[in-house]
Amino acid sequence: MAEAQFEAKLAALLERRIPGFVELISAERLSGGASQETYRLLIRDANGERKLAMRRSPGGVESLRTPGHPGLRTEATLMRCARAAGVPEPEVYAVFEPTDQLGDGFVMQWLDGEALGARIVRSDALASVRPKLAFECGQVLARIHAIDLKKSGLDQLLDPMDPSAFVDQTWERYKLFHTPQPMIDYAGRWLKEHLPKHPRMALVHNDFRNGNFMVDPNGIVAVLDWEVAHIGDPMRDLGWICTNSWRFGRSDLPVGGFGEYADLFRGYESVSGTKVDPAHVKFWEVFGSFWWAVGCLGMAEHYRTGPDKTVERPGIGRRSSECQVDCVNLLIPGPVELVQGISLDSTLDMPRTDELVVSVRDFLRGDVMASTEGRTNFLARVASNSLDIVLRELSLGPPHRASELARLRKLFNAPNDDLEALRWRLTNELRDGSIPLDAPGLAAHLRATVLNQVAIDQPSYSGLKTALERANSHR
């Protein structure tokens, strides 16, 4: 949809639904939101200028409700129900109808606060509230889980998902990508063998984590991004906010990079009256890394097949290895060695491949970022980071794969098989249960493979640092 046409249709919607609306001044797409579009709208109404927020499906394409993805119309309903239950939420003003020709989405109140997880973890302005956030997160989650599904009508809008079905759904989604990632299959096997017994069923936000709620110096301002809510085990939400991907470098503070397990649990218990079992939460913390490992691969698949082919999606796809190293740390920590990179100093080509990549990366980081702002600036940074991955792949990829091949040949006593065949063999045997999780050499192989891959994809990731520190402690 051309920008002028899009803004004209949006202005027509706002005129119908916002009392006193005069004109749409601007509609700026923000850099955040990898699966849905998020906009800041500036309008003029009878009282002057004011900001609104808008959520819309990627590319403005009408989306069908699918299992686990109830759609933006239901997301708007969830926000209204949560607001009524005392959960901090913006007011929803308008939900798109098919006749609006804007795709799926809604317009809501603009609230000021910090929503970027890294800033919530580090900002001096939030220093005084950070020690209180884990407790408040527990309280907010307890209120969400207490929402009456029948009275709210949410039981008719959301899909039920027990832990076993959730693991199966995630595992099956990954299998459709047709990429052998044995650590994902190892985690899937572990989860199926450690399912919670008889969990209660409640409303589950399913993406409550640092970066999906807004904070100011007084606490949580709004809970965001309800797009994958379902009816299931409420401990899923407690495990997800403790998943290392959302600690933003502060692995020592397991709750969102700002708090402790004990504070989260106390906050939850103070509202719900339900005692939290840490082992139950650990199951969902493992699941969180398993789920997001698959979700990252899904972003890459969406780049290949979806309507919104931004440079952000394949970059997120490479973050799957971060989640896999978190699974390693939770399930099979131990000693490991990182490979040494090969030299790229060659006289055969002028310029060399790495020099071409560096020149483009530096152009993006220098010229493009210096002359742009907003989403374009953000995507230029993402693109330059992707080129850093390519540079590390050129140096570290060949020795990493040679080592992986040598370990797999030893594991299976198959000296003549190639890497792809052996990786698929391990993947398939983990899936069908023919290789035990405690098979000699399996844990060491998975650790080495995953840690060397994340050293290519994101060497500054906190989970890699944690794994290497633990490896040294095992020596």
Side-chain angles (χ1 to χ4, degrees):
M1 185 185 299
E3 184 175 353
Q5 185 182 16
F6 161 68
E7 291 190 1
K9 291 180 177 179
L10 178 57
L13 166 75
L14 295 171
E15 185 175 12
R16 292 191 298 272
R17 305 295 293 276
I18 304 296
F21 174 83
V22 175
E23 67 171 323
L24 172 65
I25 299 172
S26 63
E28 177 189 4
R29 183 173 175 184
L30 304 178
S31 59
S35 57
Q36 302 289 353
E37 296 178 0
T38 304
Y39 288 81
R40 176 170 50 223
L41 310 181
L42 182 61
I43 71 166
R44 180 174 290 108
D45 63 16
N47 297 313
E49 293 185 2
R50 67 165 166 147
K51 290 181 285 188
L52 303 175
M54 182 176 77
R55 293 263 289 165
R56 193 172 78 129
S57 56
V61 176
E62 290 278 356
S63 58
L64 297 175
R65 177 185 171 188
T66 58
H69 293 79
L72 286 171
R73 177 177 292 275
T74 297
E75 183 175 348
T77 300
L78 283 159
M79 292 175 70
R80 285 168 168 163
C81 291
R83 181 180 169 90
V87 176
E89 292 290 356
E91 183 179 355
V92 175
Y93 296 133
V95 179
F96 297 170
E97 301 291 345
T99 53
D100 297 320
Q101 298 181 336
L102 288 165
D104 286 336
F106 55 90
V107 176
M108 58 186 162
Q109 177 186 11
W110 179 272
L111 294 175
D112 289 314
E114 184 56 73
L116 293 178
R119 292 181 186 169
I120 291 172
V121 166
R122 298 181 179 89
S123 171
D124 290 340
L126 300 174
S128 62
V129 77
R130 271 195 293 273
K132 308 170 188 175
L133 278 180
F135 185 87
E136 186 176 359
C137 285
Q139 291 181 310
V140 168
L141 285 173
R143 293 189 183 102
I144 289 172
H145 299 159
I147 292 174
D148 192 303
L149 294 167
K150 289 186 179 297
K151 287 184 179 179
S152 63
L154 292 172
D155 61 329
Q156 302 299 311
L157 298 174
L158 299 175
D159 297 307
M161 187 76 68
D162 64 46
S164 181
F166 206 177
V167 174
D168 289 342
Q169 181 200 70
T170 307
W171 209 349
E172 290 304 314
R173 182 188 178 207
Y174 148 67
K175 291 174 184 177
L176 292 175
F177 299 146
H178 200 69
T179 176
Q181 304 286 327
M183 190 62 214
I184 293 179
D185 295 285
Y186 184 98
R189 274 273 301 280
W190 185 91
L191 289 164
K192 289 294 286 185
E193 294 176 11
H194 294 81
L195 292 167
K197 293 180 172 58
H198 312 299
R200 71 185 181 94
M201 300 290 276
L203 171 62
V204 177
H205 180 283
N206 202 28
D207 203 8
F208 185 94
R209 44 94 176 171
N210 191 5
N212 268 351
F213 48 77
M214 189 180 296
V215 175
D216 71 9
N218 296 311
I220 296 176
V221 176
V223 177
L224 309 173
D225 295 359
W226 290 78
E227 63 195 88
V228 288
H230 68 259
I231 299 168
D233 181 355
M235 292 301 102
R236 153 66 174 161
D237 282 335
L238 275 72
W240 184 229
I241 195 175
C242 297
T243 301
N244 191 55
S245 294
W246 312 120
R247 299 180 194 174
F248 296 93
R250 290 300 307 269
S251 292
D252 56 316
L253 294 172
V255 183
F258 50 70
E260 302 288 352
Y261 290 113
D263 293 325
L264 175 71
F265 299 166
R266 281 194 307 107
Y268 192 85
E269 292 165 359
S270 71
V271 172
S272 69
T274 301
K275 186 72 174 175
V276 175
D277 176 4
H280 193 167
V281 174
K282 180 187 174 179
F283 170 90
W284 286 110
E285 189 177 334
V286 174
F287 177 86
S289 292
F290 167 77
W291 187 70
W292 187 224
V294 175
C296 289
L297 295 177
M299 290 292 179
E301 180 68 13
H302 195 102
Y303 171 79
R304 294 173 177 174
T305 63
D308 189 20
K309 291 180 175 291
T310 70
V311 71
E312 188 179 10
R313 293 185 184 277
I316 294 175
R318 277 297 184 115
R319 292 183 61 187
S320 180
S321 61
E322 297 178 11
C323 312
Q324 293 181 47
V325 82
D326 291 333
C327 288
V328 168
N329 288 333
L330 287 164
L331 300 177
I332 50 171
V336 73
E337 295 288 342
L338 295 183
V339 301
Q340 298 298 310
I342 60 174
S343 172
L344 300 177
D345 292 333
S346 169
T347 60
L348 295 176
D349 297 307
M350 181 68 178
R352 300 188 310 268
T353 301
D354 63 303
E355 292 175 316
L356 291 169
V357 174
V358 167
S359 71
V360 177
R361 180 202 65 188
D362 291 349
F363 167 71
L364 290 167
R365 284 192 179 146
D367 299 61
V368 175
M369 290 185 64
S371 59
T372 59
E373 57 185 19
R375 183 162 177 79
T376 301
N377 185 277
F378 167 77
L379 292 178
R381 180 181 293 108
V382 170
S384 68
N385 290 342
S386 291
L387 293 179
D388 276 333
I389 295 174
V390 175
L391 289 168
R392 291 189 293 268
E393 189 78 61
L394 290 170
S395 174
L396 296 171
H400 163 45
R401 284 167 180 77
S403 297
E404 181 185 4
L405 175 59
R407 289 192 303 273
L408 284 169
R409 284 176 169 174
K410 182 179 180 181
L411 183 67
F412 289 116
N413 191 25
N416 298 316
D417 289 3
D418 63 24
L419 178 59
E420 184 173 4
L422 287 170
R423 195 189 284 185
W424 271 115
R425 178 176 174 181
L426 177 55
T427 297
N428 289 327
E429 290 192 10
L430 284 166
R431 291 176 182 178
D432 65 23
S434 56
I435 185 171
L437 295 186
D438 60 355
L442 175 60
H445 166 71
L446 291 173
R447 269 198 310 276
T449 302
V450 172
L451 267 67
N452 277 284
Q453 186 61 51
V454 81
I456 294 172
D457 296 337
Q458 185 52 269
S460 63
Y461 182 60
S462 63
L464 176 59
K465 179 182 177 182
T466 297
L468 293 175
E469 288 174 348
R470 292 181 179 180
N472 290 330
S473 71
H474 279 79
R475 289 193 175 96

